[in-house]
Amino acid sequence: MGEWLTTAMAAKQSKYLPSNTTYVRTKKAMTVGIKEKVGSKYKLVKVRKNTLLKISATSVRENGNSDQTTALFTYGAIHYARAQKIKYANSLTTQATLLSKANFKAVKLKAPMRTLIFRPGTGFKADEKNFDAIPTSGFYLTLAKDVHLVDSQQATDTQNYKPTRSVKVTEVTVIGNTTIVDYKKPLKGLPNKKIAKNHYRLTIKQLKTTGKLNLDMSDGTYNAMASWTNYQINNKPYYNGEIEYSDD
């Protein structure tokens, strides 16, 4: 049985993947364990050449004198409606695909902020009991160029959540640490900036500041750590981060 590794660790051990590789494109039409619902049944999908996939888990096993890396894949943060028809492989032992140079090429997203969930404010805030963070809504840009607004404190960058509201994006432009997102209709809950008729914009600027917050129960048996990176969106404070829970 091989050792389970994070995507970043697997990339460092690969002979061809750059460090911290998260996304790849297929070099040929192939199956990678993804199934799609057709009627009442799920059928194995043969993804096309040059399909963008996200690495969800990896494993490195000894294979003679060299190590062999296998991986599980998803389509990443696609539109919610489509995601409901997809079933992904979940076993590195029986369903993983060889992560080889013949099968995949590493890619970097042209807009790195895609799939990141942005929440209004300067960081997570503790509730009155310091037990958890105060729930806040957030939004993210899917890989299919939709802006989804979600009302879940537990929503993370790696999953698809049912949006309360959505809007189709017309263009995404990246200039240094700034990402510009253009769309036709204002979306309630976002700091929409009107550029012209049927033209609204989000200018997302990554700042150079981060933050952390300790969350603890009074008896010390449960704790959590919140961490985040600060952004400015249309001159208003936003942040992207996560909460890690533990039982000690």
Side-chain angles (χ1 to χ4, degrees):
M1 183 67 65
E3 180 184 3
W4 282 61
L5 303 173
T6 64
T7 298
M9 290 175 66
K12 291 178 181 177
Q13 293 192 28
S14 170
K15 295 180 179 179
Y16 75 98
L17 288 180
S19 178
N20 301 320
T21 295
T22 302
Y23 293 91
V24 296
R25 286 193 182 277
T26 54
K27 286 189 172 183
K28 58 186 177 183
M30 60 189 298
T31 58
V32 291
I34 296 176
K35 294 181 178 181
E36 187 166 359
K37 194 172 186 179
V38 180
S40 60
K41 297 181 179 180
Y42 283 90
K43 294 186 177 181
L44 192 64
V45 176
K46 190 172 186 178
V47 298
R48 298 178 179 179
K49 178 181 179 180
N50 210 38
T51 297
L52 179 67
L53 298 172
K54 184 173 184 178
I55 300 174
S56 61
T58 60
S59 178
V60 178
R61 294 176 173 85
E62 292 185 2
N63 182 27
N65 295 324
S66 63
D67 290 336
Q68 193 174 67
T69 303
T70 56
L72 298 178
F73 300 94
T74 74
Y75 286 132
I78 55 177
H79 192 280
Y80 177 80
R82 185 189 176 204
Q84 301 317 294
K85 299 178 181 179
I86 303 296
K87 183 181 290 186
Y88 297 116
N90 58 15
S91 172
L92 277 166
T93 303
T94 61
Q95 299 173 298
T97 304
L98 183 63
L99 191 62
S100 68
K101 189 173 183 178
N103 291 334
F104 307 100
K105 60 181 177 181
V107 299
K108 290 185 178 181
L109 296 180
K110 293 181 179 179
M113 53 70 63
R114 282 186 180 175
T115 77
L116 300 185
I117 295 179
F118 296 101
R119 307 179 193 276
T122 56
F124 289 107
K125 305 297 181 184
D127 60 16
E128 292 183 358
K129 297 181 179 180
N130 198 43
F131 171 70
D132 210 338
I134 298 174
T136 58
S137 61
F139 75 91
Y140 67 97
L141 176 65
T142 73
L143 296 172
K145 290 188 177 181
D146 301 284
V147 172
H148 281 357
L149 190 73
V150 291
D151 289 326
S152 173
Q153 182 67 64
Q154 307 308 322
T156 65
D157 302 342
T158 60
Q159 300 182 46
N160 291 80
Y161 294 86
K162 186 176 182 179
T164 54
R165 290 178 290 278
S166 297
V167 67
K168 189 69 179 178
V169 172
T170 56
E171 187 175 3
V172 179
T173 306
V174 179
I175 305 174
N177 290 329
T178 300
T179 300
I180 300 171
V181 180
D182 292 302
Y183 46 102
K184 291 184 178 181
K185 297 180 180 180
L187 189 64
K188 184 179 178 181
L190 296 186
N192 309 282
K193 181 178 180 180
K194 187 173 183 179
I195 304 301
K197 184 179 180 180
N198 297 325
H199 186 180
Y200 292 83
R201 174 173 292 173
L202 295 176
T203 300
I204 305 171
K205 182 179 180 180
Q206 182 178 347
L207 304 179
K208 296 182 179 180
T209 56
T210 60
K212 290 184 178 181
L213 175 68
N214 286 316
L215 301 163
D216 296 280
M217 284 185 67
S218 58
D219 61 5
T221 59
Y222 181 95
N223 61 77
M225 166 69 78
S227 59
W228 64 87
T229 299
N230 293 306
Y231 289 78
Q232 192 177 72
I233 302 179
N234 289 353
N235 296 318
K236 294 186 177 181
Y238 276 75
Y239 66 96
N240 164 259
E242 61 182 6
I243 304 174
E244 296 182 0
Y245 299 91
S246 64
D247 289 299
D248 295 327

